[in-house]
Amino acid sequence: MLKIKGIIIATIICLLFCQAGLAEGADPVRSTGIISAMQNEIDLLLSEAQIDHTDTVGGVDYHVGTLCGEPVVIAKAGIGKILSAAGMAAMLNRYDISRVFFTGIAGAVGDETQVLDVVVATELVQHDFGYINNDGFAWSGGFEGESGHYPCDAALVEMACRAAVDVVGEAHVFRGTIASGDQFVASEEYVEYLQSEFNAIACEMEGASIALVCERYDTPFVVIRSMSDKADGLAHETYENMGDIAADNSCRIVMEMLESLKNDSAK
Ligand code: ADE
């Protein structure tokens, strides 16, 4: 009887100490959220990661594990602003995410940026958000006093640019405005509009919605895009031929960023 009492008391003491350890002890593990639109945009990351488990929420698989020694949650949310916003919000609701990297491909806008160049967004804009009246479409990012321009986290932009230079070389790395809309752009005329109206240097279909959701959740983010095409009349063909290579390059930049985070925390 005395022996049983002893075991019970020892167990209670042990439980109390464990609780205190959890409350005061090691920091909870915060992860880097890595999100893309398409499967080929995360394939390389998943092949290099140690995935502990996968949760499916709202039809999106969230792969939880480590990559380059850093805790990560990796997800392919789907194409376009709606699915990316839904996938991003679910990730930020469910996991303890300290920063977000969007990784993927885009159409190059402008004369300088070429296929396989990398664009790190300094800001995002929704190019298809606005009014339609009898004169046609008029952009208005600024309902309810908003500017419609959503800046990426400055420190993450620097980190992404440094990593991109390591992966593709300085001559192929650009930073600037990325324009997002729910259209695959394959038109020289529309490219000119994106340049003149927004000073955009790349176009894609998700960055601005990721930006808006991260802003609401107060989570730093950056959008990294490798150019798969020139968003011109040949865009579909170029995209088919170069998309996978561009997607892998963006993944390599993400891994380089995780390596630099690991080295920073080791100091
Ligand atoms: N993603 C890759 N290329 C694109 C394009 N031309 N337009 C929109 N999204 C893209």
Side-chain angles (χ1 to χ4, degrees), residues 30-83:
R30 304 199 76 202
S31 299
T32 298
I34 302 171
I35 191 158
S36 77
M38 298 185 296
Q39 190 61 36
N40 66 345
E41 293 171 323
I42 54 166
D43 275 342
L44 184 62
L45 300 179
L46 292 177
S47 71
E48 296 287 325
Q50 283 75 50
I51 300 303
D52 177 51
H53 64 277
T54 298
D55 304 313
T56 304
V57 184
V60 174
D61 290 339
Y62 294 87
H63 307 281
V64 180
T66 55
L67 177 58
C68 307
E70 287 291 302
V72 289
V73 179
I74 303 173
K76 172 213 81 171
I79 296 172
K81 290 186 287 166
I82 294 174
L83 289 181

Side-chain angles (χ1 to χ4, degrees), residues 24-251:
E24 291 166 20
D27 287 339
V29 181
R30 304 199 76 202
S31 299
T32 298
I34 302 171
I35 191 158
S36 77
M38 298 185 296
Q39 190 61 36
N40 66 345
E41 293 171 323
I42 54 166
D43 275 342
L44 184 62
L45 300 179
L46 292 177
S47 71
E48 296 287 325
Q50 283 75 50
I51 300 303
D52 177 51
H53 64 277
T54 298
D55 304 313
T56 304
V57 184
V60 174
D61 290 339
Y62 294 87
H63 307 281
V64 180
T66 55
L67 177 58
C68 307
E70 287 291 302
V72 289
V73 179
I74 303 173
K76 172 213 81 171
I79 296 172
K81 290 186 287 166
I82 294 174
L83 289 181
S84 57
M88 188 75 263
M91 185 193 281
L92 294 176
N93 263 317
R94 188 176 175 116
Y95 303 97
D96 191 6
I97 300 292
S98 53
R99 63 185 77 82
V100 167
F101 300 164
F102 187 99
T103 181
I105 63 177
V109 167
D111 310 321
E112 297 146 83
T113 42
Q114 304 298 328
V115 174
L116 295 187
D117 284 348
V118 169
V119 172
V120 176
T122 50
E123 63 163 18
L124 287 303
V125 60
Q126 295 188 71
H127 64 76
D128 57 353
F129 192 85
Y131 299 90
I132 293 183
N133 60 23
N134 290 328
D135 297 325
F137 172 76
W139 183 76
S140 167
F143 289 129
E144 298 182 336
E146 286 200 10
S147 73
H149 294 259
Y150 310 106
C152 293
D153 180 79
L156 292 182
V157 169
E158 291 306 323
M159 186 196 290
C161 286
R162 277 197 303 274
V165 167
D166 285 350
V167 173
V168 294
E170 196 161 8
H172 299 287
V173 179
F174 296 81
R175 62 175 81 192
T177 303
I178 294 185
S180 310
D182 285 311
Q183 303 81 19
F184 184 90
V185 179
S187 151
E188 286 82 358
E189 197 183 329
Y190 202 75
V191 161
E192 268 177 40
Y193 166 74
L194 293 176
Q195 270 185 290
S196 60
E197 188 74 14
F198 305 107
N199 204 17
I201 59 170
C203 64
E204 35 83 309
M205 302 175 68
E206 297 83 19
S209 48
I210 295 295
L212 268 162
V213 173
C214 286
E215 191 181 277
R216 292 230 158 155
Y217 280 80
D218 212 10
T219 304
F221 71 93
V222 66
V223 175
I224 302 144
R225 293 284 190 172
S226 175
M227 303 301 105
S228 57
D229 60 89
K230 292 274 293 173
D232 56 7
L234 295 172
H236 281 107
E237 205 181 316
T238 328
Y239 166 94
E240 287 296 332
N241 293 331
M242 306 306 282
D244 288 349
I245 302 170
D248 282 356
N249 276 351
S250 189
C251 288

